[in-house]
Amino acid sequence: MRLSLRTLHALPQDADRFTYDRGAQAIGIVHFGIGAFHRAHQAWYTDQAMDEGDRDWAICGVSLRSRSVADQLVPQDGLYTVTTRSGEGAQVRVIGAVREVLFALDDGAAIVARIADPACRIVSFTVTEKGYCRTGAGDLNLRLAQESFYPLLGRALAQRAEAGLGGITLLSCDNLADNGTVLHRLMRRWMMENEPDALDWFETHCTAPSSMVDRIVPRSTDKDRSALQAQLGMADEGAVFTEDFSQWVIEDRFANGRPSWEKVGAEMVCDVVPYETAKLRMLNGAHSFLAYAGLAAGHEFVHQAIADPQLCALARRLMLEEALPSITAAPGQDLDRYAEELIVRFNNPSLRHRLDQIAMDGSQKLPQRWLDTVRWHWSQDAPTPAIRKGFEAWRQHCARNSCVDDPFKDRLVEAAQSTDRSEFLDICFGEYGDTQSIWSEYVFLRSIFKSAE
């Protein structure tokens, strides 16, 4: 037996579930990148908001690269479970917010129609850093963009403009600094080139607020799903497993309404930057350090790496002595406490968060996770030894070749296997960095590598 609307009644009583009339909810959100993180985070928040009385915010999830999520969720009528794990145990909730799952390569016309439908008011994204298809200078790579969300979204926006419909909100939930501004700029570039007649409508009627998301969601395993099946008495192929901590900070700038996410724990603010910066430089920065240094030390999971006294000390130094001084905190934002909370979260053995999952796509992640911190210390004429060790661990990771999962794998491996460390940095960041200030950052990194030799 498999989870679905037909079998929902057979779930154990201790499994939490939505209470709203799911069939009566119009699809108000189209989401690109319906992976595990979205299902454990934005869809989880939206499900609870509809339980609190919000209506017509059901989600159409779009998978861009693989039909696997559609294969998991379509036979289950879009239903799946989120299991939150902590030291006190685990809690299972059935999520009903996802009404439809489409695959871009098969369902392009249906996706365009969903976004062009007047009921759609938000298009959101968790497509990872590389899904935005940026050039080395941070502009839109028009060739790569053909394979991402831009063509479908552009056609849908043009149809809305032609029909005289209201605007929509484009909500990035990816780990990009100032992600709303980045998304707006890149989408504007696509519209200029491909849908110029709709450009003025887009600029006038659509918004792209920034957001910061935080929840650790490891990749689900067969072992996880088997244990859940034994608990529920039925299979859930779309199940996700996560920690009990969750944070969502959103710039409150929506074009055409939004769910009341603040009623279920989201923070609606005027300025996301301090929260976003802390998350990127402290949590994500420490995660990347633990991934590369932990793999080099023979560890497999985050909780193993943070239990290594030497790595724990360096991760703590990266957060408290290197990243923290570079951040201008918001009123009431306690960064010292945040760092200590992160150590506790990393130590959660029930998550089994794989280091090789975090290590993926380093060329796309590390500029915003490490380099802004390095640049700040460079301006203070101060060293960043933890980040320097992280860079060296990343170089060694790339030099091993077989374990690299990165869009620029071949170039990275070739450079990493060179005896000249500065050449590795030149190729990584001189060509692929995504900020105009990259030059001072990687020149400084070259100097500290040279001084360490």
Side-chain angles (χ1 to χ4, degrees):
M1 186 164 59
R2 188 165 171 181
L3 177 64
S4 68
L5 288 174
R6 182 178 57 83
T7 61
L8 189 60
H9 70 281
L11 283 171
Q13 290 301 309
D14 60 352
D16 192 15
R17 70 197 75 186
F18 59 92
T19 60
Y20 51 88
D21 182 355
R22 185 172 181 264
Q25 308 308 313
I27 292 178
I29 300 172
V30 174
H31 181 83
F32 284 96
I34 184 169
F37 184 83
H38 170 71
R39 303 203 300 276
H41 194 274
Q42 299 93 31
W44 178 81
Y45 277 99
T46 303
D47 181 72
Q48 294 179 88
M50 288 197 290
D51 246 0
E52 290 292 318
D54 274 4
R55 292 294 176 263
D56 298 332
W57 291 110
I59 298 168
C60 168
V62 177
S63 182
L64 287 167
R65 295 189 298 271
S66 168
R67 69 183 80 244
S68 61
V69 178
D71 292 342
Q72 292 167 359
L73 295 187
V74 170
Q76 299 182 182
D77 303 309
L79 300 180
Y80 65 94
T81 58
V82 172
T83 301
T84 57
R85 292 169 166 172
S86 67
E88 287 71 46
Q91 177 62 45
V92 178
R93 177 179 172 89
V94 180
I95 305 298
V98 178
R99 285 278 311 277
E100 183 177 58
V101 180
L102 302 175
F103 178 44
L105 294 183
D106 293 340
D107 305 313
I111 295 165
V112 171
R114 274 294 178 207
I115 300 171
D117 190 309
C120 178
R121 291 181 278 169
I122 296 173
V123 177
S124 53
F125 306 81
T126 48
V127 295
T128 76
E129 295 89 341
K130 64 184 176 184
Y132 291 84
C133 305
R134 293 167 296 165
T135 67
D139 297 326
L140 182 64
N141 184 319
L142 291 165
R143 179 182 60 81
L144 292 178
Q146 294 282 352
E147 308 300 321
S148 191
F149 59 84
Y150 295 97
L152 298 173
L153 180 56
R155 289 203 297 273
L157 293 178
Q159 287 185 20
R160 291 182 74 100
E162 186 176 1
L165 297 179
I168 59 174
T169 300
L170 307 183
L171 182 61
S172 172
C173 300
D174 283 297
N175 288 322
L176 296 173
D178 202 11
N179 53 15
T181 301
V182 171
L183 174 58
H184 179 271
R185 174 171 50 79
L186 296 174
M187 195 65 217
R188 184 181 188 278
R189 175 74 171 124
W190 177 267
M191 299 293 286
M192 287 176 62
E193 291 293 325
N194 296 278
E195 306 289 351
D197 292 343
L199 181 60
D200 286 345
W201 176 90
F202 170 70
E203 294 278 47
T204 303
H205 296 285
C206 297
T207 62
S210 290
S211 74
M212 186 279 282
V213 297
D214 188 359
R215 196 170 209 184
I216 296 171
V217 185
R219 186 181 293 117
S220 301
T221 66
D222 290 340
K223 183 178 180 181
D224 291 327
R225 286 184 284 266
S226 294
L228 180 67
Q229 180 173 346
Q231 178 183 348
L232 298 181
M234 63 181 70
D236 174 12
E237 296 300 325
V240 291
F241 304 83
T242 186
E243 62 177 336
D244 58 353
F245 176 91
S246 184
Q247 186 179 23
W248 195 6
V249 183
I250 313 168
E251 181 186 3
D252 198 0
R253 189 168 58 86
F254 285 73
N256 195 6
R258 61 171 177 79
S260 300
W261 286 313
E262 71 277 11
K263 291 182 179 179
V264 292
E267 301 169 70
M268 311 305 299
V269 301
C270 295
D271 185 9
V272 172
V273 170
Y275 304 92
E276 170 189 84
T277 303
K279 196 250 181 169
L280 284 169
R281 299 185 193 178
M282 296 178 71
L283 187 155
N284 298 130
H287 251 172
S288 287
F289 169 81
L290 290 170
Y292 300 119
L295 288 168
H299 302 304
E300 186 177 1
F301 300 104
V302 171
H303 69 271
Q304 295 171 338
I306 201 67
D308 183 319
Q310 184 177 9
L311 297 186
C312 182
L314 285 165
R316 190 184 296 273
R317 174 170 185 143
L318 188 153
M319 288 190 285
L320 289 171
E321 299 181 35
E322 298 181 12
L324 188 151
S326 74
I327 301 166
T328 302
Q333 188 181 16
D334 188 338
L335 296 180
D336 290 282
R337 185 178 68 182
Y338 182 53
E340 295 307 318
E341 289 172 347
L342 289 176
I343 296 294
V344 173
R345 292 168 62 192
F346 294 167
N347 266 301
N348 185 350
S350 65
L351 285 180
R352 299 181 68 78
H353 196 183
R354 295 185 62 87
L355 297 173
D356 56 7
Q357 179 184 357
I358 300 168
M360 294 170 58
D361 301 329
S363 68
Q364 309 297 292
K365 296 174 178 177
L366 296 184
Q368 53 263 32
R369 295 185 179 196
W370 288 349
L371 292 188
D372 285 333
T373 298
V374 170
R375 179 179 58 180
W376 187 90
H377 284 272
W378 182 64
S379 71
Q380 308 295 312
D381 196 26
T384 50
I387 290 179
R388 179 167 62 81
K389 289 182 181 294
F391 269 111
E392 179 61 13
W394 183 42
R395 188 190 67 81
Q396 293 173 2
H397 176 80
C398 292
R400 289 194 292 272
N401 188 357
S402 60
C403 57
V404 181
D405 188 340
D406 193 284
F408 301 119
K409 174 180 177 177
D410 293 342
R411 296 290 304 277
L412 290 172
V413 168
E414 179 183 1
Q417 292 175 347
S418 167
T419 58
D420 185 354
R421 289 174 174 82
S422 60
E423 179 185 354
F424 175 67
L425 292 168
D426 284 349
I427 290 177
C428 296
F429 300 123
E431 184 170 348
Y432 302 127
D434 68 344
T435 66
Q436 292 298 321
S437 59
I438 202 74
W439 299 105
S440 63
E441 294 155 7
Y442 95 86
V443 166
F444 174 59
L445 285 164
R446 288 185 64 187
S447 72
I448 60 176
F449 271 113
K450 285 292 188 182
S451 66
E453 291 177 344

mmCIF file with all atom_site columns, all heavy atoms in Angstrom, residues 301-308 345-353 355:
data_model
loop_
_atom_site.group_PDB
_atom_site.id
_atom_site.type_symbol
_atom_site.label_atom_id
_atom_site.label_alt_id
_atom_site.label_comp_id
_atom_site.label_asym_id
_atom_site.label_entity_id
_atom_site.label_seq_id
_atom_site.pdbx_PDB_ins_code
_atom_site.Cartn_x
_atom_site.Cartn_y
_atom_site.Cartn_z
_atom_site.occupancy
_atom_site.B_iso_or_equiv
_atom_site.pdbx_formal_charge
_atom_site.auth_seq_id
_atom_site.auth_comp_id
_atom_site.auth_asym_id
_atom_site.auth_atom_id
_atom_site.pdbx_PDB_model_num
ATOM 1   N N   . PHE A 1 301 ? 29.749 11.918 7.465  1.00 0.00 ? 301 PHE A N   1
ATOM 2   C CA  . PHE A 1 301 ? 28.599 12.739 7.818  1.00 0.00 ? 301 PHE A CA  1
ATOM 3   C C   . PHE A 1 301 ? 29.024 13.980 8.596  1.00 0.00 ? 301 PHE A C   1
ATOM 4   O O   . PHE A 1 301 ? 30.095 14.010 9.209  1.00 0.00 ? 301 PHE A O   1
ATOM 5   C CB  . PHE A 1 301 ? 27.608 11.931 8.663  1.00 0.00 ? 301 PHE A CB  1
ATOM 6   C CG  . PHE A 1 301 ? 27.058 10.713 7.975  1.00 0.00 ? 301 PHE A CG  1
ATOM 7   C CD1 . PHE A 1 301 ? 27.520 9.450  8.312  1.00 0.00 ? 301 PHE A CD1 1
ATOM 8   C CD2 . PHE A 1 301 ? 26.088 10.826 6.983  1.00 0.00 ? 301 PHE A CD2 1
ATOM 9   C CE1 . PHE A 1 301 ? 27.022 8.323  7.680  1.00 0.00 ? 301 PHE A CE1 1
ATOM 10  C CE2 . PHE A 1 301 ? 25.586 9.710  6.343  1.00 0.00 ? 301 PHE A CE2 1
ATOM 11  C CZ  . PHE A 1 301 ? 26.048 8.449  6.688  1.00 0.00 ? 301 PHE A CZ  1
ATOM 12  N N   . VAL A 1 302 ? 28.140 14.991 8.598  1.00 0.00 ? 302 VAL A N   1
ATOM 13  C CA  . VAL A 1 302 ? 28.431 16.242 9.301  1.00 0.00 ? 302 VAL A CA  1
ATOM 14  C C   . VAL A 1 302 ? 28.644 15.990 10.788 1.00 0.00 ? 302 VAL A C   1
ATOM 15  O O   . VAL A 1 302 ? 29.569 16.548 11.394 1.00 0.00 ? 302 VAL A O   1
ATOM 16  C CB  . VAL A 1 302 ? 27.294 17.254 9.082  1.00 0.00 ? 302 VAL A CB  1
ATOM 17  C CG1 . VAL A 1 302 ? 27.475 18.480 9.978  1.00 0.00 ? 302 VAL A CG1 1
ATOM 18  C CG2 . VAL A 1 302 ? 27.234 17.693 7.623  1.00 0.00 ? 302 VAL A CG2 1
ATOM 19  N N   . HIS A 1 303 ? 27.800 15.171 11.403 1.00 0.00 ? 303 HIS A N   1
ATOM 20  C CA  . HIS A 1 303 ? 27.941 14.967 12.848 1.00 0.00 ? 303 HIS A CA  1
ATOM 21  C C   . HIS A 1 303 ? 29.260 14.291 13.197 1.00 0.00 ? 303 HIS A C   1
ATOM 22  O O   . HIS A 1 303 ? 29.784 14.488 14.304 1.00 0.00 ? 303 HIS A O   1
ATOM 23  C CB  . HIS A 1 303 ? 26.745 14.173 13.405 1.00 0.00 ? 303 HIS A CB  1
ATOM 24  C CG  . HIS A 1 303 ? 26.681 12.740 12.984 1.00 0.00 ? 303 HIS A CG  1
ATOM 25  N ND1 . HIS A 1 303 ? 26.047 12.334 11.840 1.00 0.00 ? 303 HIS A ND1 1
ATOM 26  C CD2 . HIS A 1 303 ? 27.176 11.607 13.564 1.00 0.00 ? 303 HIS A CD2 1
ATOM 27  C CE1 . HIS A 1 303 ? 26.122 11.011 11.730 1.00 0.00 ? 303 HIS A CE1 1
ATOM 28  N NE2 . HIS A 1 303 ? 26.814 10.552 12.756 1.00 0.00 ? 303 HIS A NE2 1
ATOM 29  N N   . GLN A 1 304 ? 29.826 13.515 12.276 1.00 0.00 ? 304 GLN A N   1
ATOM 30  C CA  . GLN A 1 304 ? 31.141 12.924 12.520 1.00 0.00 ? 304 GLN A CA  1
ATOM 31  C C   . GLN A 1 304 ? 32.238 13.980 12.407 1.00 0.00 ? 304 GLN A C   1
ATOM 32  O O   . GLN A 1 304 ? 33.164 14.018 13.216 1.00 0.00 ? 304 GLN A O   1
ATOM 33  C CB  . GLN A 1 304 ? 31.396 11.797 11.516 1.00 0.00 ? 304 GLN A CB  1
ATOM 34  C CG  . GLN A 1 304 ? 30.460 10.608 11.656 1.00 0.00 ? 304 GLN A CG  1
ATOM 35  C CD  . GLN A 1 304 ? 30.599 9.625  10.507 1.00 0.00 ? 304 GLN A CD  1
ATOM 36  O OE1 . GLN A 1 304 ? 31.067 9.977  9.408  1.00 0.00 ? 304 GLN A OE1 1
ATOM 37  N NE2 . GLN A 1 304 ? 30.195 8.384  10.740 1.00 0.00 ? 304 GLN A NE2 1
ATOM 38  N N   . ALA A 1 305 ? 32.117 14.848 11.401 1.00 0.00 ? 305 ALA A N   1
ATOM 39  C CA  . ALA A 1 305 ? 33.142 15.882 11.208 1.00 0.00 ? 305 ALA A CA  1
ATOM 40  C C   . ALA A 1 305 ? 33.158 16.864 12.371 1.00 0.00 ? 305 ALA A C   1
ATOM 41  O O   . ALA A 1 305 ? 34.234 17.253 12.851 1.00 0.00 ? 305 ALA A O   1
ATOM 42  C CB  . ALA A 1 305 ? 32.887 16.618 9.890  1.00 0.00 ? 305 ALA A CB  1
ATOM 43  N N   . ILE A 1 306 ? 31.993 17.291 12.859 1.00 0.00 ? 306 ILE A N   1
ATOM 44  C CA  . ILE A 1 306 ? 31.963 18.271 13.943 1.00 0.00 ? 306 ILE A CA  1
ATOM 45  C C   . ILE A 1 306 ? 32.380 17.640 15.259 1.00 0.00 ? 306 ILE A C   1
ATOM 46  O O   . ILE A 1 306 ? 32.776 18.348 16.201 1.00 0.00 ? 306 ILE A O   1
ATOM 47  C CB  . ILE A 1 306 ? 30.566 18.931 14.056 1.00 0.00 ? 306 ILE A CB  1
ATOM 48  C CG1 . ILE A 1 306 ? 30.655 20.280 14.787 1.00 0.00 ? 306 ILE A CG1 1
ATOM 49  C CG2 . ILE A 1 306 ? 29.582 18.003 14.725 1.00 0.00 ? 306 ILE A CG2 1
ATOM 50  C CD1 . ILE A 1 306 ? 31.404 21.344 14.050 1.00 0.00 ? 306 ILE A CD1 1
ATOM 51  N N   . ALA A 1 307 ? 32.320 16.313 15.368 1.00 0.00 ? 307 ALA A N   1
ATOM 52  C CA  . ALA A 1 307 ? 32.796 15.617 16.571 1.00 0.00 ? 307 ALA A CA  1
ATOM 53  C C   . ALA A 1 307 ? 34.309 15.458 16.574 1.00 0.00 ? 307 ALA A C   1
ATOM 54  O O   . ALA A 1 307 ? 34.888 15.087 17.604 1.00 0.00 ? 307 ALA A O   1
ATOM 55  C CB  . ALA A 1 307 ? 32.126 14.253 16.691 1.00 0.00 ? 307 ALA A CB  1
ATOM 56  N N   . ASP A 1 308 ? 34.961 15.742 15.448 1.00 0.00 ? 308 ASP A N   1
ATOM 57  C CA  . ASP A 1 308 ? 36.424 15.721 15.356 1.00 0.00 ? 308 ASP A CA  1
ATOM 58  C C   . ASP A 1 308 ? 36.940 16.995 16.021 1.00 0.00 ? 308 ASP A C   1
ATOM 59  O O   . ASP A 1 308 ? 36.658 18.104 15.548 1.00 0.00 ? 308 ASP A O   1
ATOM 60  C CB  . ASP A 1 308 ? 36.823 15.679 13.875 1.00 0.00 ? 308 ASP A CB  1
ATOM 61  C CG  . ASP A 1 308 ? 38.317 15.585 13.637 1.00 0.00 ? 308 ASP A CG  1
ATOM 62  O OD1 . ASP A 1 308 ? 39.070 16.272 14.352 1.00 0.00 ? 308 ASP A OD1 1
ATOM 63  O OD2 . ASP A 1 308 ? 38.714 14.865 12.720 1.00 0.00 ? 308 ASP A OD2 1
ATOM 64  N N   . ARG A 1 345 ? 23.239 22.010 16.089 1.00 0.00 ? 345 ARG A N   1
ATOM 65  C CA  . ARG A 1 345 ? 22.533 21.430 14.947 1.00 0.00 ? 345 ARG A CA  1
ATOM 66  C C   . ARG A 1 345 ? 23.440 20.488 14.152 1.00 0.00 ? 345 ARG A C   1
ATOM 67  O O   . ARG A 1 345 ? 23.006 19.410 13.724 1.00 0.00 ? 345 ARG A O   1
ATOM 68  C CB  . ARG A 1 345 ? 22.004 22.542 14.034 1.00 0.00 ? 345 ARG A CB  1
ATOM 69  C CG  . ARG A 1 345 ? 20.887 23.362 14.671 1.00 0.00 ? 345 ARG A CG  1
ATOM 70  C CD  . ARG A 1 345 ? 20.596 24.629 13.878 1.00 0.00 ? 345 ARG A CD  1
ATOM 71  N NE  . ARG A 1 345 ? 20.140 24.327 12.525 1.00 0.00 ? 345 ARG A NE  1
ATOM 72  C CZ  . ARG A 1 345 ? 20.045 25.234 11.561 1.00 0.00 ? 345 ARG A CZ  1
ATOM 73  N NH1 . ARG A 1 345 ? 20.394 26.496 11.785 1.00 0.00 ? 345 ARG A NH1 1
ATOM 74  N NH2 . ARG A 1 345 ? 19.613 24.887 10.370 1.00 0.00 ? 345 ARG A NH2 1
ATOM 75  N N   . PHE A 1 346 ? 24.695 20.874 13.952 1.00 0.00 ? 346 PHE A N   1
ATOM 76  C CA  . PHE A 1 346 ? 25.629 20.010 13.225 1.00 0.00 ? 346 PHE A CA  1
ATOM 77  C C   . PHE A 1 346 ? 25.847 18.686 13.968 1.00 0.00 ? 346 PHE A C   1
ATOM 78  O O   . PHE A 1 346 ? 26.157 17.667 13.353 1.00 0.00 ? 346 PHE A O   1
ATOM 79  C CB  . PHE A 1 346 ? 26.977 20.709 13.049 1.00 0.00 ? 346 PHE A CB  1
ATOM 80  C CG  . PHE A 1 346 ? 26.957 21.925 12.160 1.00 0.00 ? 346 PHE A CG  1
ATOM 81  C CD1 . PHE A 1 346 ? 28.044 22.797 12.137 1.00 0.00 ? 346 PHE A CD1 1
ATOM 82  C CD2 . PHE A 1 346 ? 25.874 22.208 11.345 1.00 0.00 ? 346 PHE A CD2 1
ATOM 83  C CE1 . PHE A 1 346 ? 28.045 23.920 11.331 1.00 0.00 ? 346 PHE A CE1 1
ATOM 84  C CE2 . PHE A 1 346 ? 25.861 23.336 10.535 1.00 0.00 ? 346 PHE A CE2 1
ATOM 85  C CZ  . PHE A 1 346 ? 26.948 24.187 10.530 1.00 0.00 ? 346 PHE A CZ  1
ATOM 86  N N   . ASN A 1 347 ? 25.707 18.699 15.293 1.00 0.00 ? 347 ASN A N   1
ATOM 87  C CA  . ASN A 1 347 ? 25.966 17.514 16.111 1.00 0.00 ? 347 ASN A CA  1
ATOM 88  C C   . ASN A 1 347 ? 24.810 16.531 16.130 1.00 0.00 ? 347 ASN A C   1
ATOM 89  O O   . ASN A 1 347 ? 24.900 15.504 16.801 1.00 0.00 ? 347 ASN A O   1
ATOM 90  C CB  . ASN A 1 347 ? 26.278 17.937 17.550 1.00 0.00 ? 347 ASN A CB  1
ATOM 91  C CG  . ASN A 1 347 ? 27.768 18.074 17.807 1.00 0.00 ? 347 ASN A CG  1
ATOM 92  O OD1 . ASN A 1 347 ? 28.515 17.111 17.643 1.00 0.00 ? 347 ASN A OD1 1
ATOM 93  N ND2 . ASN A 1 347 ? 28.208 19.265 18.187 1.00 0.00 ? 347 ASN A ND2 1
ATOM 94  N N   . ASN A 1 348 ? 23.720 16.809 15.434 1.00 0.00 ? 348 ASN A N   1
ATOM 95  C CA  . ASN A 1 348 ? 22.534 15.948 15.462 1.00 0.00 ? 348 ASN A CA  1
ATOM 96  C C   . ASN A 1 348 ? 22.790 14.667 14.659 1.00 0.00 ? 348 ASN A C   1
ATOM 97  O O   . ASN A 1 348 ? 22.751 14.688 13.425 1.00 0.00 ? 348 ASN A O   1
ATOM 98  C CB  . ASN A 1 348 ? 21.338 16.714 14.891 1.00 0.00 ? 348 ASN A CB  1
ATOM 99  C CG  . ASN A 1 348 ? 20.036 15.935 14.985 1.00 0.00 ? 348 ASN A CG  1
ATOM 100 O OD1 . ASN A 1 348 ? 20.011 14.753 15.310 1.00 0.00 ? 348 ASN A OD1 1
ATOM 101 N ND2 . ASN A 1 348 ? 18.928 16.596 14.678 1.00 0.00 ? 348 ASN A ND2 1
ATOM 102 N N   . PRO A 1 349 ? 23.041 13.525 15.314 1.00 0.00 ? 349 PRO A N   1
ATOM 103 C CA  . PRO A 1 349 ? 23.386 12.307 14.568 1.00 0.00 ? 349 PRO A CA  1
ATOM 104 C C   . PRO A 1 349 ? 22.201 11.690 13.831 1.00 0.00 ? 349 PRO A C   1
ATOM 105 O O   . PRO A 1 349 ? 22.396 10.895 12.912 1.00 0.00 ? 349 PRO A O   1
ATOM 106 C CB  . PRO A 1 349 ? 23.894 11.367 15.671 1.00 0.00 ? 349 PRO A CB  1
ATOM 107 C CG  . PRO A 1 349 ? 23.202 11.825 16.908 1.00 0.00 ? 349 PRO A CG  1
ATOM 108 C CD  . PRO A 1 349 ? 23.042 13.312 16.771 1.00 0.00 ? 349 PRO A CD  1
ATOM 109 N N   . SER A 1 350 ? 20.985 12.054 14.208 1.00 0.00 ? 350 SER A N   1
ATOM 110 C CA  . SER A 1 350 ? 19.821 11.452 13.559 1.00 0.00 ? 350 SER A CA  1
ATOM 111 C C   . SER A 1 350 ? 19.626 11.953 12.132 1.00 0.00 ? 350 SER A C   1
ATOM 112 O O   . SER A 1 350 ? 18.911 11.332 11.342 1.00 0.00 ? 350 SER A O   1
ATOM 113 C CB  . SER A 1 350 ? 18.552 11.736 14.378 1.00 0.00 ? 350 SER A CB  1
ATOM 114 O OG  . SER A 1 350 ? 18.258 13.117 14.412 1.00 0.00 ? 350 SER A OG  1
ATOM 115 N N   . LEU A 1 351 ? 20.269 13.097 11.774 1.00 0.00 ? 351 LEU A N   1
ATOM 116 C CA  . LEU A 1 351 ? 20.104 13.640 10.417 1.00 0.00 ? 351 LEU A CA  1
ATOM 117 C C   . LEU A 1 351 ? 20.929 12.885 9.382  1.00 0.00 ? 351 LEU A C   1
ATOM 118 O O   . LEU A 1 351 ? 20.538 12.764 8.227  1.00 0.00 ? 351 LEU A O   1
ATOM 119 C CB  . LEU A 1 351 ? 20.489 15.121 10.394 1.00 0.00 ? 351 LEU A CB  1
ATOM 120 C CG  . LEU A 1 351 ? 19.488 16.077 11.008 1.00 0.00 ? 351 LEU A CG  1
ATOM 121 C CD1 . LEU A 1 351 ? 19.991 17.505 10.918 1.00 0.00 ? 351 LEU A CD1 1
ATOM 122 C CD2 . LEU A 1 351 ? 18.135 15.966 10.315 1.00 0.00 ? 351 LEU A CD2 1
ATOM 123 N N   . ARG A 1 352 ? 22.123 12.430 9.769  1.00 0.00 ? 352 ARG A N   1
ATOM 124 C CA  . ARG A 1 352 ? 23.008 11.723 8.836  1.00 0.00 ? 352 ARG A CA  1
ATOM 125 C C   . ARG A 1 352 ? 23.165 12.509 7.531  1.00 0.00 ? 352 ARG A C   1
ATOM 126 O O   . ARG A 1 352 ? 22.912 12.017 6.431  1.00 0.00 ? 352 ARG A O   1
ATOM 127 C CB  . ARG A 1 352 ? 22.505 10.296 8.573  1.00 0.00 ? 352 ARG A CB  1
ATOM 128 C CG  . ARG A 1 352 ? 22.457 9.454  9.840  1.00 0.00 ? 352 ARG A CG  1
ATOM 129 C CD  . ARG A 1 352 ? 21.990 8.044  9.582  1.00 0.00 ? 352 ARG A CD  1
ATOM 130 N NE  . ARG A 1 352 ? 22.946 7.269  8.812  1.00 0.00 ? 352 ARG A NE  1
ATOM 131 C CZ  . ARG A 1 352 ? 24.064 6.707  9.299  1.00 0.00 ? 352 ARG A CZ  1
ATOM 132 N NH1 . ARG A 1 352 ? 24.367 6.856  10.580 1.00 0.00 ? 352 ARG A NH1 1
ATOM 133 N NH2 . ARG A 1 352 ? 24.855 6.011  8.537  1.00 0.00 ? 352 ARG A NH2 1
ATOM 134 N N   . HIS A 1 353 ? 23.593 13.765 7.683  1.00 0.00 ? 353 HIS A N   1
ATOM 135 C CA  . HIS A 1 353 ? 23.769 14.672 6.545  1.00 0.00 ? 353 HIS A CA  1
ATOM 136 C C   . HIS A 1 353 ? 25.124 14.391 5.897  1.00 0.00 ? 353 HIS A C   1
ATOM 137 O O   . HIS A 1 353 ? 26.180 14.622 6.491  1.00 0.00 ? 353 HIS A O   1
ATOM 138 C CB  . HIS A 1 353 ? 23.708 16.123 7.048  1.00 0.00 ? 353 HIS A CB  1
ATOM 139 C CG  . HIS A 1 353 ? 23.489 17.123 5.972  1.00 0.00 ? 353 HIS A CG  1
ATOM 140 N ND1 . HIS A 1 353 ? 23.470 18.472 6.193  1.00 0.00 ? 353 HIS A ND1 1
ATOM 141 C CD2 . HIS A 1 353 ? 23.256 16.977 4.636  1.00 0.00 ? 353 HIS A CD2 1
ATOM 142 C CE1 . HIS A 1 353 ? 23.244 19.116 5.067  1.00 0.00 ? 353 HIS A CE1 1
ATOM 143 N NE2 . HIS A 1 353 ? 23.115 18.223 4.114  1.00 0.00 ? 353 HIS A NE2 1
ATOM 144 N N   . LEU A 1 355 ? 28.502 14.518 3.850  1.00 0.00 ? 355 LEU A N   1
ATOM 145 C CA  . LEU A 1 355 ? 29.452 15.559 3.470  1.00 0.00 ? 355 LEU A CA  1
ATOM 146 C C   . LEU A 1 355 ? 29.569 15.680 1.959  1.00 0.00 ? 355 LEU A C   1
ATOM 147 O O   . LEU A 1 355 ? 29.745 16.785 1.429  1.00 0.00 ? 355 LEU A O   1
ATOM 148 C CB  . LEU A 1 355 ? 30.820 15.264 4.087  1.00 0.00 ? 355 LEU A CB  1
ATOM 149 C CG  . LEU A 1 355 ? 30.874 15.261 5.616  1.00 0.00 ? 355 LEU A CG  1
ATOM 150 C CD1 . LEU A 1 355 ? 32.247 14.774 6.096  1.00 0.00 ? 355 LEU A CD1 1
ATOM 151 C CD2 . LEU A 1 355 ? 30.589 16.649 6.179  1.00 0.00 ? 355 LEU A CD2 1
#
